[in-house]
Amino acid sequence: MEACDVRQALFLRPWRYPLGAWPWRAAGYLVSGVGAGVLVCAVLLVLLVASLLLVGIPLLLFGGIALGGAERLRLRLVDRRPAADPHRVPAEPGLGAWVRERAGERATWRELAYALLLATVLWVLDALVLAVAAGVPGALLATPVLLAADGHETKILKAVLVTSYPPALAAAALGALLLVALAYPLGLYAAGRAALTRALIAPRERDGLGEVIASRARLVDAFEAERRRIERDLHDGAQHRLVALSMTLGLARLDAPPGGPLAERLARAQEEAGQVLAELRELIHGIHPHVLADYGLGPALADAADRTAVPVDRELDGLPRLPVAVESAAYFTGREALANVDRHSGAARARLTGRHDGRVLVLTVEDDGRGGADPARGSGLTGLADRLAVLDGTLTITSPPGGPTVLRVEIPCRVSSASSSPRTASSSAKG
Amino acid sequence: MPRQLRVVLAEDGVLLREGLIGLLARFGHEVVAAVGDAEALRAAVAVHDPDVVLTDVRMPPGFQDEGLRAAVALRAERPGLPVLVLSQYVQRDYAADLLDSGDGTGVGYLLKDRVGQVEEFVDALDRVAAGGTVVDPEVVRQLLRRRRDPLAALTPREREVLALVAEGHSNGEVARRLVVTEAAVGKHIGNILAKLDLPPAEDTHRRVLAVLAYLQA
């Protein structure tokens, strides 16, 4: 495996490290670091003076942004993994939008902090490490050359007097050894320095990811709330009125002369009202089944299994009440899986199990069908996998050709506080 | 002619509540109190001591199963209080909870749509008030869809008989519907009770136990 940064080069093959390019890259990183540091220090001093006149403050910010770009490039010397630009693209074109966007970003302020750190501390440290790790061995190595140039004597590091070639050559040999030995701390320092730089000026992946997860969770919650609202509206509105209509028709039938055309028409009208009610009931059940809200996951899944054409063995005993989002996601995934058993598997039998061990809900749906299920192809499970992902849950499907197909859902969750309700105690055992 | 019943009605939809009051009045029953939520239902029962309670499952404030909970609680407080529960959607867990309450007699659970079949609906209310057990045919159908149950030993005809018993019909009525003799029905029921391993005891009670076995399969 090729090392992709200096730290890996150090730890993966330490014996080959001094022979490769990495010590040179580390040294180059520090040399350019000193150069950049001195430059930034000078620019900062000028800008600080200018800031007293308020002109410098925006320049200071955007100087930081420019430095960030340069530093991300320089980072490539010791770390081949790309450091992406942490800045967002402004929503609108134009300088004003750009300035507003940048001024509001954390990344901008982190880059400024990095610039201050570089100008004050980092470049000095870089220079010190370079002086020790490269300067000392360099001076030792140069001893014979300096002796030859002077002809009579030379002082190593201005301390040890050397007057003849044997000690000078010994010093050079020591210098070579030291150069190799000090390449390790040099690399270590460069790795640490690069990690610090990356932490400050590269995007924090968790930042972005957290935002995405939170927004997805909000969407799922909103969908869930909307489903319930639609279900309630249908229940309180259309369903209610239809029942009242059916009752009125029923009463009218009592008044109509029996066997006459009026009684017949009223009967037909009532029958149609009944069919609409039945359809509406199925629709509402599909949107958000009452049994899920009232009795929880076990009875709701047992109900879904009842509605499956393929016979389903079930082990759902003792499932506690879980958070609403978990129950809902698990229920709809289980129902979709059972529907797929009916539609695609050709199975003669299926098996549904649900367990909660106090920390994780595990739901499995197995069938003895032909297998070869492709979750990516319109099975409706991909959307549910997204829904599970929001809850940190996972969906795995194994379906070799020839079967069996096993679908497994895992959602980490605690028992909901509503679990003490007596209704679960009496009903969950009946799955 | 069934006796005149004093009914406490709990239903949060005004349209349906007024309709039911009219419907029951037409059949000679009196709605002594019509309320819109579970709390008021319990208060009304305490005040009026009705012959039968007719309640919706979903009611304010939570719109979950408050009506059912109230019915179960009422039957725990007053054993033998007949209750008929109406629901927009039948589910055997609701039915099982209801039948578990009290001794399983004088209790009914019907799909709300059934109020349209006016005469059958009032007949069901009468049967519940008289201590009968009425379970919606839809619940029975749900159960028949299940393949794995302890009722597998029953023959199709015995299942039919049990389904009708679960709906609260007497042996005579079952015989009339299946077009067989009452003696044949009695024999079927004997076989069912034997196959379900129900101990010989007072007949109504065993019938209820058979229905319970049926629901909890």
XYZ file of all heavy atoms in Angstrom, chain A residues 90-134:
344
model
N -21.780 31.069 -2.865
C -22.850 32.018 -2.519
C -24.110 31.732 -3.310
O -24.053 31.283 -4.457
C -22.263 33.374 -2.908
C -20.802 33.160 -2.996
C -20.590 31.733 -3.377
N -25.249 31.967 -2.671
C -26.527 31.662 -3.311
C -26.785 32.575 -4.505
O -27.462 32.189 -5.456
C -27.660 31.791 -2.299
N -26.244 33.803 -4.449
C -26.481 34.746 -5.548
C -25.139 35.191 -6.115
O -24.133 35.161 -5.425
C -27.220 35.997 -5.022
C -28.564 35.716 -4.427
C -29.009 36.855 -3.520
O -28.769 38.022 -3.870
O -29.562 36.559 -2.449
N -25.139 35.614 -7.373
C -23.904 36.151 -7.930
C -23.647 37.558 -7.367
O -24.518 38.146 -6.739
C -24.188 36.189 -9.432
C -25.675 36.291 -9.545
C -26.236 35.586 -8.341
N -22.452 38.053 -7.617
C -22.145 39.426 -7.197
C -21.249 39.466 -5.985
O -21.249 38.547 -5.164
N -20.501 40.574 -5.877
C -19.519 40.725 -4.807
C -20.202 40.816 -3.436
O -19.746 40.239 -2.460
C -18.680 41.993 -5.062
C -17.552 42.232 -4.065
C -16.502 41.138 -4.171
C -16.913 43.600 -4.278
N -21.335 41.526 -3.394
C -22.032 41.721 -2.119
C -22.421 40.389 -1.503
O -22.169 40.136 -0.316
N -23.013 39.519 -2.333
C -23.445 38.219 -1.839
C -22.235 37.407 -1.373
O -22.285 36.723 -0.344
C -24.195 37.466 -2.938
N -21.150 37.528 -2.138
C -19.939 36.776 -1.799
C -19.424 37.216 -0.427
O -19.120 36.392 0.424
C -18.874 37.022 -2.882
C -17.659 36.155 -2.745
C -17.489 34.890 -3.223
C -16.438 36.494 -2.071
N -16.256 34.412 -2.899
C -15.582 35.383 -2.188
C -15.996 37.630 -1.390
C -14.300 35.366 -1.648
C -14.713 37.616 -0.854
C -13.865 36.493 -0.986
N -19.367 38.531 -0.230
C -18.852 39.064 1.034
C -19.741 38.619 2.195
O -19.268 38.161 3.227
C -18.761 40.613 0.978
C -18.451 41.171 2.365
C -17.704 41.044 -0.018
N -21.063 38.726 2.006
C -21.977 38.333 3.069
C -21.810 36.852 3.413
O -21.755 36.464 4.572
C -23.423 38.608 2.645
C -23.893 40.035 2.914
C -25.399 40.130 2.827
N -25.908 39.701 1.528
C -25.910 40.483 0.439
N -25.433 41.702 0.499
N -26.385 40.031 -0.690
N -21.730 36.019 2.364
C -21.595 34.584 2.570
C -20.319 34.266 3.356
O -20.342 33.537 4.342
C -21.566 33.890 1.195
C -21.487 32.383 1.251
C -22.818 31.746 1.618
O -23.845 32.180 1.080
O -22.812 30.836 2.462
N -19.195 34.875 2.885
C -17.909 34.579 3.519
C -17.867 35.071 4.960
O -17.353 34.386 5.841
C -16.767 35.228 2.723
C -16.502 34.590 1.385
C -15.932 33.188 1.538
N -15.903 32.523 0.241
C -16.875 31.752 -0.211
N -17.947 31.529 0.516
N -16.788 31.191 -1.396
N -18.411 36.267 5.189
C -18.339 36.839 6.535
C -19.166 36.004 7.515
O -18.885 35.974 8.710
C -18.827 38.281 6.525
N -20.181 35.303 6.978
C -21.048 34.518 7.855
C -20.570 33.093 8.059
O -21.189 32.330 8.789
N -19.482 32.722 7.406
C -19.050 31.328 7.485
C -18.045 31.116 8.602
O -17.168 31.942 8.829
C -18.380 30.924 6.166
C -19.340 30.567 5.084
C -18.591 30.210 3.825
O -17.503 30.762 3.602
O -19.090 29.395 3.069
N -18.126 29.970 9.222
C -17.110 29.631 10.220
C -15.758 29.448 9.569
O -14.728 29.757 10.144
C -17.494 28.314 10.881
C -18.529 28.491 11.933
C -18.717 27.182 12.617
N -19.707 27.327 13.659
C -19.989 26.397 14.526
N -19.343 25.268 14.486
N -20.907 26.595 15.441
N -15.769 28.862 8.363
C -14.507 28.540 7.695
C -13.643 29.790 7.560
O -12.427 29.753 7.756
C -14.792 27.935 6.324
N -14.277 30.926 7.246
C -13.532 32.175 7.087
C -12.795 32.532 8.371
O -11.619 32.894 8.354
C -14.512 33.304 6.727
O -15.282 32.894 5.604
C -13.771 34.581 6.421
N -13.498 32.406 9.468
C -12.898 32.779 10.757
C -11.851 31.779 11.189
O -10.861 32.136 11.832
C -13.998 32.936 11.814
C -14.940 34.029 11.413
C -16.107 33.889 10.744
C -14.734 35.428 11.580
N -16.663 35.103 10.490
C -15.838 36.087 11.002
C -13.729 36.192 12.163
C -15.968 37.464 10.983
C -13.864 37.567 12.161
C -14.972 38.198 11.569
N -12.048 30.530 10.826
C -11.013 29.533 11.147
C -9.738 29.817 10.360
O -8.633 29.666 10.864
C -11.534 28.130 10.834
C -12.551 27.635 11.846
C -12.459 26.129 12.045
N -12.712 25.407 10.803
C -13.872 24.808 10.536
N -14.840 24.843 11.411
N -14.031 24.178 9.407
N -9.910 30.253 9.103
C -8.730 30.563 8.299
C -7.987 31.765 8.867
O -6.749 31.802 8.878
C -9.144 30.817 6.843
C -9.371 29.520 6.091
C -10.057 29.716 4.749
O -10.666 30.785 4.540
O -9.973 28.806 3.923
N -8.752 32.733 9.356
C -8.114 33.900 9.975
C -7.331 33.476 11.221
O -6.185 33.902 11.443
C -9.181 34.933 10.349
C -8.627 36.214 10.985
C -7.719 36.948 9.996
C -9.752 37.129 11.434
N -7.956 32.593 12.000
C -7.276 32.104 13.196
C -5.989 31.392 12.810
O -4.941 31.558 13.451
C -8.194 31.150 13.961
N -6.060 30.633 11.719
C -4.865 29.925 11.261
C -3.780 30.922 10.854
O -2.597 30.739 11.177
C -5.212 28.996 10.093
C -3.987 28.319 9.529
C -3.420 27.236 10.188
C -3.380 28.779 8.373
C -2.279 26.624 9.707
C -2.234 28.177 7.885
C -1.683 27.103 8.553
O -0.543 26.513 8.082
N -4.189 31.976 10.148
C -3.223 32.984 9.704
C -2.509 33.598 10.908
O -1.277 33.750 10.910
C -3.940 34.067 8.893
N -3.257 33.942 11.940
C -2.653 34.530 13.144
C -1.681 33.545 13.801
O -0.576 33.907 14.203
C -3.747 34.926 14.149
C -4.642 36.084 13.714
C -5.790 36.281 14.686
C -3.809 37.370 13.612
N -2.116 32.280 13.870
C -1.281 31.248 14.483
C 0.015 31.060 13.694
O 1.112 30.946 14.263
C -2.082 29.940 14.496
C -1.716 28.911 15.555
C -1.913 29.509 16.936
C -2.586 27.673 15.385
N -0.124 31.057 12.363
C 1.047 30.864 11.499
C 2.027 32.020 11.680
O 3.239 31.822 11.820
C 0.594 30.770 10.036
C 1.709 30.638 8.993
C 2.453 29.318 9.186
C 1.155 30.714 7.577
N 1.479 33.239 11.688
C 2.345 34.417 11.742
C 3.052 34.534 13.094
O 4.157 35.074 13.172
C 1.514 35.669 11.480
N 2.434 34.018 14.149
C 3.022 34.236 15.474
C 3.807 33.032 15.982
O 4.921 33.181 16.487
C 1.918 34.554 16.494
O 0.918 33.548 16.385
C 1.298 35.912 16.217
N 3.260 31.831 15.852
C 3.869 30.669 16.516
C 4.433 29.655 15.536
O 5.586 29.225 15.643
C 2.822 29.968 17.415
C 3.432 28.765 18.109
C 2.263 30.948 18.426
N 3.604 29.292 14.552
C 3.925 28.109 13.751
C 5.221 28.248 12.970
O 6.041 27.339 12.945
C 2.753 27.799 12.794
C 1.495 27.286 13.488
C 0.381 27.032 12.482
C 1.801 26.004 14.252
N 5.414 29.426 12.349
C 6.619 29.518 11.518
C 7.874 29.495 12.373
O 8.901 28.952 11.975
C 6.582 30.739 10.586
C 6.841 32.079 11.224
C 5.923 32.929 11.711
C 8.126 32.695 11.411
N 6.526 34.040 12.211
C 7.878 33.927 12.025
C 9.438 32.329 11.101
C 8.918 34.810 12.367
C 10.470 33.206 11.430
C 10.215 34.440 12.067
N 7.789 30.009 13.595
C 8.940 29.970 14.493
C 9.264 28.526 14.858
O 10.417 28.093 14.822
C 8.644 30.794 15.761
C 9.861 30.805 16.668
C 8.221 32.205 15.407
N 8.212 27.768 15.178
C 8.397 26.345 15.488
C 8.983 25.607 14.291
O 9.913 24.814 14.428
C 7.040 25.721 15.846
C 6.590 25.819 17.302
C 5.212 25.210 17.452
C 7.599 25.091 18.204
N 8.416 25.905 13.102
C 8.924 25.282 11.872
C 10.420 25.521 11.756
O 11.208 24.608 11.477
C 8.220 25.873 10.638
C 6.775 25.414 10.535
O 6.342 24.634 11.402
O 6.078 25.844 9.597
N 10.806 26.780 11.960
C 12.211 27.153 11.797
C 13.072 26.415 12.817
O 14.150 25.905 12.482
C 12.356 28.664 11.955
N 12.599 26.322 14.055
C 13.365 25.636 15.097
C 13.585 24.174 14.746
O 14.708 23.659 14.830
C 12.603 25.729 16.427
C 13.002 26.865 17.360
C 12.066 26.906 18.566
C 14.455 26.672 17.812
N 12.507 23.509 14.362
C 12.609 22.089 14.020
C 13.562 21.901 12.847
O 14.416 21.004 12.849
C 11.216 21.518 13.691
C 11.327 20.111 13.133
C 10.347 21.530 14.936
N 13.434 22.762 11.851
C 14.331 22.674 10.695
C 15.784 22.843 11.134
O 16.670 22.101 10.698
C 13.976 23.776 9.687
C 13.025 23.407 8.571
C 12.774 24.626 7.694
C 13.582 22.259 7.741
N 16.023 23.822 11.995
C 17.389 24.107 12.422
C 17.996 22.887 13.105
O 19.148 22.526 12.846
C 17.393 25.309 13.361
N 17.201 22.229 13.952
C 17.731 21.063 14.661
C 17.870 19.873 13.719
O 18.926 19.240 13.633
C 16.818 20.705 15.856
C 17.275 19.402 16.502
C 16.834 21.840 16.865
N 16.804 19.550 12.983
C 16.770 18.315 12.216
C 17.605 18.387 10.944
O 18.116 17.374 10.474
C 15.325 17.964 11.860
N 17.748 19.575 10.357
C 18.533 19.683 9.128
C 19.825 20.472 9.369
O 20.877 20.131 8.828
C 17.698 20.354 8.037
